[in-house]
Amino acid sequence: MASDDIAQLADALAKTHVGDGELSYQGLGLKLDDAESVEELVREIEQYPGLRALRLEGNTVGVDAARAIAKALESKDLLQKCHWSDMFTGRLRSEIPTALRSLGSALMSAGARLTELDLSDNAFGPDGVKGIEQLLKSPSCHNLRELRLNNCGMGIGGGKILAEALIEGHRQSSEHGAPLKLRVFIAGRNRLENEGARALAKAFELMGSLEEVHMPQNGINYAGVTALAAAMRHNPELRVLNFNDNTFTKRGTLAMAQALRHLRNVQVINFGDCLVRSEGAIALAAVLGEGLPILKELNLSFGEITEAAALVVAQAVMDKPDMEKVDLNGNSLGEEGCDALREAMENMDKGGMLASLSDDEGEPDDEDDDDEEDDDDDASDDGNEDAEDDCELVMENGITRDDSPAKPQSSAEITSFLSCPSAERLLQLGEMRTSLHQQVDASDPHNAAHVLLKIAALHSEEPETKAAVLETIDAVLKKLLSGSALQSFCFLSSLLVMMGLLKGEGRVKKVSLVPGQLLCLEHAIQQEYFTRHHASLLHTFMSKNAGALESCSSASERLSSTLEKKCHDHH
């Protein structure tokens, strides 16, 4: 080793922070290739009694240097924290696993009990995970509380190996009566994708001890997100959830919303850049309304959320006593929408909570592609020749095989009515109308909305028909709106999509509205089962998209003024 290198090392070592049981060589930029290059460092480690934390980040360590450091660590049984991020810059990918194995073996020989292990920003790939696999399974990691593996290029393969190691570590530690209770897991930018996410979800579900999960930018879409969401439900102490820059879409967001209903300790939610979209935002707003009592930060930026949905989110965060920051930047609010959102927040004295909206994408100009998407579907809406098929589709998907012991004949008649509703058939049902609602499945909001609109379309001013229709609508809506806020908001957002008041995801057939459907809604709003929160959701979308209902202008005006009244009577 050249003498000026040694002088530089001696100088650097003089600056190391020594104290609190910690030895730090952090950020010294040392190039440690061989045993000779680390002689001084090794001596310091050996001579440090009660070493609890070793910081090597921001240097570059070769295989031989790692072996020498490892030898010194073999006697350090009190070591708990290894801050080893960014310590292999410029090393061959093949060298890193070998170096990690040496260091890991030393910790195991020493009988060290780690609480923190940070190997972030080491581009070691799946093979690097193999390099720490034995360590993670061993008693040296049975007390691990924080595992940081950000930006390591693990890939799907590395994610699976990591998951298996954590599961095995949990199994072994449980046998010893003290199961692994990992609190902080960080693995952003690792291309874990769905398979890696699914594998890790199994480990998370087993441990049930997580408080912080950071997995941004991993190419995970709804399938992996759904698995992670199910696992999160089993971690009741969760405080921070960061899945920024993965692709939730509606399905993934609904799964996350479902999980969040059960989590009372969450303080930070970062679903920015996750394509949450408007329907997802409404579902999250529902959960905000009934749960998440100590939430502080919500990031739904860059999610293609439109103005009305953003306003629904804003209304939901208003009642959160600890709320500090809401980020809705980079969505599709448009200039007027941004102003409306700012104004809504300021009116409630929460203006300071709203993050900048400077990157708003502007209102979606989706009129054109809407037409393209709906072209294939329009024919069946207008002509009656396809009505039967339509109705059968509803039958297959939207009707639950309810366990209630209905008379076979009555359910057959109800089935036949739903397969093609008419006023005449509804009246013929007589008393059986009251059991119609049992055939509508609240867990399938799309079809529930479809059935509701079909029944409402039969509304007429003929007294007997009108009474029968309203009675049926009341029974069905009472059921659909009596569950959790999440369930009722999901149903209402499906209804909004079909009414053309909200752009849904994928190809959703809009219904050609008739005034009777709006008059049925106007009746429903006045009932007790239709809460102010339900009315407020509907009102927000109607006031922002009034044009969608112009084919039924007078019924639409009646509906709007009744909504207005319901929302403001209770303020």
Side-chain angles (χ1 to χ4, degrees), residues 42 45-46 51 54 56 63-80 82 84 87 97-114 117 131-132 134-136 138-141:
V42 162
I45 292 175
E46 285 171 346
L51 182 65
L54 178 62
L56 293 173
V63 171
D64 293 334
R67 284 203 184 104
I69 293 170
K71 190 106 190 69
L73 290 176
E74 281 173 7
S75 61
K76 299 296 168 188
D77 60 330
L78 297 177
L79 188 63
Q80 293 180 330
C82 298
W84 296 349
M87 65 173 212
T98 313
L100 288 171
R101 273 194 194 94
S102 307
L103 292 163
S105 299
L107 296 171
M108 293 188 276
S109 309
R113 292 290 200 155
L114 296 188
L117 176 60
I132 55 168
Q134 293 317 115
L135 172 65
L136 287 171
S138 76
S140 284
C141 281

Side-chain angles (χ1 to χ4, degrees), residues 276-542:
V276 162
R277 298 204 171 116
S278 296
E279 288 175 276
I282 291 171
L284 290 170
V287 178
L288 278 165
E290 66 179 349
L292 299 168
I294 57 172
L295 191 68
K296 288 183 175 171
E297 281 185 36
L298 177 65
N299 182 344
L300 298 178
S301 58
F302 299 93
E304 293 188 1
I305 297 168
T306 54
E307 175 189 356
L311 287 168
V312 171
V313 171
Q315 286 158 7
V317 298
M318 292 310 171
D319 303 329
K320 295 275 158 237
D322 301 315
M323 203 70 191
E324 290 167 11
K325 186 178 177 196
V326 182
D327 191 344
L328 288 162
N329 194 18
N331 282 299
S332 309
L333 308 184
E335 211 169 309
E336 284 179 22
C338 288
D339 289 343
L341 181 60
R342 284 191 202 97
E343 191 183 326
M345 296 292 279
E346 278 158 17
N347 286 347
M348 318 241 189
D349 284 338
K350 306 273 184 178
M353 194 191 280
L354 187 63
S356 157
L357 297 170
S358 57
D359 299 311
D360 189 73
E361 302 275 347
E363 286 182 69
D365 46 352
D366 47 31
E367 298 316 314
D368 316 329
D369 57 21
D370 254 2
D371 295 342
E372 282 167 38
E373 282 185 352
D374 291 345
D375 272 349
D376 307 352
D377 298 333
D378 280 350
S380 61
D381 270 355
D382 301 336
N384 279 334
E385 58 275 19
D386 291 316
E388 291 282 349
D389 300 342
D390 265 8
C391 298
E392 277 161 34
L393 183 77
V394 177
M395 278 303 308
E396 279 168 44
N397 302 335
I399 309 307
T400 56
R401 309 283 162 249
D402 209 286
D403 299 332
S404 55
K407 296 200 248 6
Q409 176 217 2
S410 76
S411 52
E413 290 183 18
I414 286 175
T415 301
S416 130
F417 164 72
L418 285 171
S419 74
C420 234
S422 71
E424 190 184 358
R425 282 179 168 190
L426 184 66
L427 291 171
Q428 279 167 3
L429 283 175
E431 288 298 298
M432 282 185 258
R433 281 199 298 275
T434 50
S435 52
L436 243 173
H437 69 276
Q438 290 171 354
Q439 304 285 305
V440 179
D441 182 3
S443 65
D444 186 348
H446 177 82
N447 278 310
H450 201 78
V451 170
L452 184 89
L453 287 173
K454 288 206 162 205
I455 297 169
L458 306 176
H459 180 282
S460 83
E461 289 307 320
E462 193 277 307
E464 199 186 352
T465 307
K466 184 175 180 177
V469 169
L470 293 180
E471 175 191 26
T472 312
I473 290 289
D474 281 340
V476 170
L477 274 178
K478 201 169 186 174
K479 175 180 177 174
L480 292 172
L481 298 177
S482 64
S484 67
L486 178 58
Q487 194 177 59
S488 51
F489 270 46
C490 285
F491 161 70
L492 289 170
S493 68
S494 295
L495 190 63
L496 289 166
V497 171
M498 285 187 188
M499 292 171 69
L501 291 167
L502 164 59
K503 178 160 168 51
E505 209 173 76
R507 299 172 55 145
V508 179
K509 190 181 297 183
K510 286 199 204 63
V511 173
S512 305
L513 290 175
V514 294
Q517 290 163 320
L518 302 187
L519 295 174
C520 281
L521 272 179
E522 193 241 351
H523 160 82
I525 288 155
Q526 299 168 60
Q527 311 309 309
E528 216 168 293
Y529 60 74
F530 212 102
T531 68
R532 181 174 61 83
H533 291 298
H534 301 145
S536 168
L537 174 63
L538 215 53
H539 184 251
T540 303
F541 275 87
M542 274 197 68

